[in-house]
Amino acid sequence: MTRPAAILLDAVLCPTGGPMCLRVKHLEIGLGERVAVIGHNGAGKSTLLRLLSGFVRPVAGQLVVLNRSLNKPLSAHDMRAFRCEVGQIMQNLHPVERLTVLENVLIGCLGRTRGWRGLTRCYPPIEVKAAEAALASVGLMKQAETRTDALSGGERQKVALARLLMQRPRLILADEPTAALDPVAAREVCQLLVQASAGATLISVVHNPELLPLLADRVIGMKQGCIAFDLPIAAVDESCLDALYKRNEVPRIKPVSRQSQATDNNHTQSCLT
Amino acid sequence: MWHRVSRVLVGRLGFLTLTLLYASLVAGCLATLIAQDELSLGRRPLENLVRTASEFARPSFLDVWFGNPHLEYRSDDGTVLRVENRQAVETHYLQGLASATWTTFRIATLGSLLGAVLALPLGVLTARNLAAPMPVRLLAKGLLDVARSIHTLVFGLVLVGIVGLGSTAGILAIAFHSMGTYGKFFAEAIETLDMAAIEAVRSVGASPTQVFFNAVWPAVLPQFVSSHLYIWEFNIRDSTILGVIGAGGLGLLITEATSLFQWGRLSTVLIVIVLLVSSFDALSRRIRKALS
């Protein structure tokens, strides 16, 4: 790979919430790459993202993100500087409800705004202009002065995207950004996300295979805490996905009663689709 | 199938048991009341009602305009003991009433503020999502529960013994009792904070003070202000009775009027209380609506 690496994982071991461990022998993602991570529930996708955002630390191995080693805890100052460069967008990344849309977007520039302006929400005019431009590019300019609790789910996600534009991060981590949206809104949010990540590295976790070509040119499949495949988007086909989501590989819990079995089946179904 | 049936059955049975329990409780209360011969309306309820109501229907403040300027008090043999100008007496009473109203309002206002200030740290410690150490949390919660369960009047009686008669006892009594309610409201406001939104603000690299002023403050402030207005309003109602135990204000006039059976004056005082409380209620409702 000719591009410099934005992310480098070497022999990383990290406990997940469940019984498994995330084990990554080697993973390198270059600057400006667009990568999608797929896999069944509990495969370690979210843990991988949390590793990359510095939320958890590996118990073993090398982890370098944007030239910063995250093996040791960063100082508060370094952590804030690191967070400025990493933009996150999630299914449950809520805006602050009582603030207006514009104020929520301006939160994106808090990382580089110091002093009283960041505390009193009196941002410098240049940042306000930038925020308005960001809102215009996601098509929410009309609602700039509305309070965010009056917005729909898709609009809220667009506010989060505008905030991301405002933040200008070098690495964007998107954890199921479209999970709560209808197909049309999901598609729109994905397109905006790709536009927003121009020049930055975009790593997204998605469940819907239809969105893969929109979001990524490289797909990493995860299974049981390990990387099952790492292919360019053109090489990913139905058989790959079938192998990844194979039904009998899903860890089964012995049903306790009829009811729990029913929910277990539903769960399996939702994993498959 | 059996699970569902049994669950429905248990649910219905449980509710039936609760209803029966409640019914037997009410029956028990009524039965003991009747057994002790306490269920009575006195000897002449209708006559008394009519008399009291007719005196209530003529509030004393009307005397300012319609009172007899030469009311003569005579002894049994007809000699004039004293001539009273009812209009002047009533005007004087109304001035006293105004200052008593201000005293009551002052007790409620200062007491509420003091209660809020005292409750703020306790509420923060009690909020479950801020995860204060368990013993500290329980201690704070216990303090708030104790404060909430002791009535303002009880606090007042104890405090009158400590700091003496007067407004200070009333202010402290209001503060100590409403501290419990404030703490509960504050803790609930903090618990309904959207932690994901706070996490989101933190994730752009904001400093802790920036996170506080951009995510916590705007979400919590309106709720704090609205619960403050609510309890303040409640305390205005509460402080009118505090005068009964010697904290001054409207309550003092109520005791005076009731012990002299001056229902006309009591009626005047009650009209003032109703006006005070309902106008403050209307005002605070508007402010709360504007804030939400």
Side-chain angles (χ1 to χ4, degrees):
Chain A
M1 199 156 291
T2 50
R3 289 158 165 172
I7 287 161
L8 184 68
L9 280 84
D10 214 11
V12 161
L13 197 66
C14 179
T16 61
M20 280 181 321
C21 237
L22 179 72
R23 282 157 292 157
V24 182
K25 275 197 200 116
H26 184 79
L27 177 65
E28 204 176 319
I29 296 174
L31 276 175
E33 265 195 282
R34 292 186 299 154
V35 181
V37 183
I38 59 174
H40 56 76
N41 286 346
K45 308 181 301 291
S46 297
T47 309
L48 181 64
L49 284 201
R50 276 172 27 185
L51 264 179
L52 299 181
S53 64
F55 194 74
V56 288
R57 274 178 292 121
V59 286
Q62 281 291 319
L63 172 63
V64 180
V65 180
L66 299 174
N67 298 325
R68 272 192 183 81
S69 169
L70 293 184
N71 291 32
K72 287 193 212 83
L74 293 174
S75 70
H77 180 264
D78 283 350
M79 194 66 202
R80 284 209 296 279
F82 174 68
R83 279 177 164 159
C84 282
E85 295 187 345
V86 180
Q88 295 182 52
I89 182 160
M90 294 173 192
Q91 178 193 345
N92 56 356
L93 196 75
H94 299 285
V96 182
E97 294 211 327
R98 281 175 194 273
L99 298 186
T100 65
V101 168
L102 188 65
E103 283 172 323
N104 262 294
V105 174
L106 278 163
I107 282 174
C109 74
L110 276 181
R112 51 179 185 270
T113 312
R114 291 280 163 244
W116 63 275
R117 281 184 178 276
L119 303 182
T120 51
R121 299 201 290 278
C122 298
Y123 297 93
I126 186 169
E127 300 284 19
V128 177
K129 282 233 175 64
E132 281 168 354
L135 270 182
S137 65
V138 298
L140 274 183
M141 199 53 220
K142 270 186 197 153
Q143 280 106 317
E145 294 305 321
T146 343
R147 258 168 52 167
T148 29
D149 46 9
L151 297 184
S152 71
E155 285 169 330
R156 282 166 192 235
Q157 208 60 308
K158 283 184 198 165
V159 171
L161 278 168
R163 187 190 283 177
L164 204 63
L165 278 172
M166 194 65 197
Q167 191 186 347
R168 294 178 221 134
R170 288 164 64 201
L171 168 66
I172 295 175
L173 305 174
D175 195 355
E176 298 177 40
T178 60
L181 305 181
D182 66 72
V184 180
R187 205 157 258 280
E188 202 183 344
V189 164
C190 282
Q191 277 159 354
L192 285 170
L193 183 59
V194 170
Q195 283 169 29
S197 66
T201 312
L202 172 65
I203 300 176
S204 45
V205 167
V206 273
H207 274 311
N208 188 350
E210 286 174 23
L211 296 174
L212 282 180
L214 271 177
L215 278 174
D217 29 43
R218 176 176 164 194
V219 179
I220 295 174
M222 296 199 61
K223 193 155 93 178
Q224 308 273 325
C226 298
I227 292 179
F229 62 77
D230 184 354
L231 296 168
I233 182 75
V236 178
D237 52 17
E238 284 299 313
S239 62
C240 274
L241 296 177
D242 280 347
L244 193 66
Y245 289 116
K246 218 154 88 182
R247 192 183 171 142
N248 54 16
E249 297 284 344
V250 178
R252 294 292 292 270
I253 305 161
K254 201 178 172 201
V256 182
S257 69
R258 266 156 207 276
Q259 247 188 342
S260 69
Q261 192 178 20
T263 50
D264 193 32
N265 281 340
N266 286 341
H267 186 68
T268 319
Q269 293 273 314
S270 66
C271 284
L272 285 170
T273 50
Chain B
M1 183 65 196
W2 171 238
H3 281 289
R4 194 163 300 167
V5 169
S6 73
R7 212 176 50 211
V8 167
L9 217 60
V10 166
R12 299 269 154 94
L13 272 178
F15 186 70
L16 192 68
T17 322
L18 276 180
T19 315
L20 285 177
L21 208 67
Y22 178 68
S24 56
L25 210 64
V26 171
C29 290
L30 264 178
T32 50
L33 194 68
I34 291 166
Q36 288 166 358
D37 209 17
E38 292 273 344
L39 190 68
S40 94
L41 294 171
R43 266 175 294 173
R44 294 188 300 268
L46 254 179
E47 204 176 307
N48 287 341
L49 177 70
V50 168
R51 205 180 54 227
T52 314
S54 64
E55 278 180 46
F56 255 104
R58 197 184 177 285
S60 65
F61 72 88
L62 293 174
D63 276 359
V64 173
W65 299 282
F66 309 114
N68 187 353
H70 289 285
L71 184 65
E72 294 178 349
Y73 289 89
R74 288 169 191 276
S75 67
D76 291 340
D77 56 359
T79 46
V80 177
L81 293 172
R82 194 158 69 90
V83 180
E84 194 180 85
N85 184 352
R86 286 296 304 152
Q87 297 189 356
V89 167
E90 213 41 50
T91 314
H92 186 69
Y93 183 74
L94 281 192
Q95 284 165 1
L97 185 64
S99 88
T101 311
W102 175 244
T103 308
T104 293
F105 187 75
R106 201 171 53 190
I107 290 175
T109 307
L110 294 180
S112 305
L113 185 60
L114 184 61
V117 170
L118 289 176
L120 193 58
L122 293 174
V124 169
L125 286 177
T126 321
R128 222 167 274 130
N129 53 347
L130 297 189
M134 198 57 173
V136 181
R137 203 174 78 96
L138 284 182
L139 190 74
K141 197 166 154 27
L143 253 174
L144 291 178
D145 284 345
V146 168
R148 204 165 48 239
S149 52
I150 298 176
H151 197 274
T152 318
L153 271 180
V154 181
F155 268 127
L157 283 169
V158 175
L159 284 162
V160 161
I162 297 171
V163 301
L165 294 170
S167 294
T168 318
I171 292 172
L172 290 177
I174 292 271
F176 288 154
H177 175 69
S178 53
M179 180 178 87
T181 323
Y182 271 122
K184 199 176 157 72
F185 279 2
F186 287 170
E188 265 167 25
I190 296 170
E191 273 168 15
T192 53
L193 269 180
D194 189 353
M195 291 314 268
I198 293 170
E199 200 48 54
V201 175
R202 194 176 289 148
S203 79
V204 304
S207 67
T209 38
Q210 283 177 333
V211 172
F212 180 79
F213 280 107
N214 284 286
V216 181
W217 190 245
V220 151
L221 182 71
Q223 293 200 50
F224 275 16
V225 172
S226 119
S227 50
H228 179 56
L229 283 169
Y230 179 74
I231 298 173
W232 187 3
E233 177 198 318
F234 182 85
N235 281 341
I236 287 179
R237 244 166 320 174
D238 233 23
S239 63
T240 55
I241 205 66
L242 271 175
V244 173
I245 56 156
L250 290 172
L252 196 63
L253 299 185
I254 292 179
T255 1
E256 215 175 83
T258 47
S259 44
L260 296 173
F261 300 104
Q262 294 174 326
W263 302 123
R265 285 213 163 149
L266 183 60
S267 168
T268 308
V269 176
L270 289 185
I271 287 172
V272 168
I273 291 177
V274 168
L275 283 180
L276 180 70
V277 169
S278 56
S279 57
F280 192 83
D281 173 63
L283 191 72
S284 88
R285 194 176 322 142
R286 282 204 174 176
I287 298 175
R288 272 184 281 152
K289 207 171 171 189
L291 274 174
S292 70

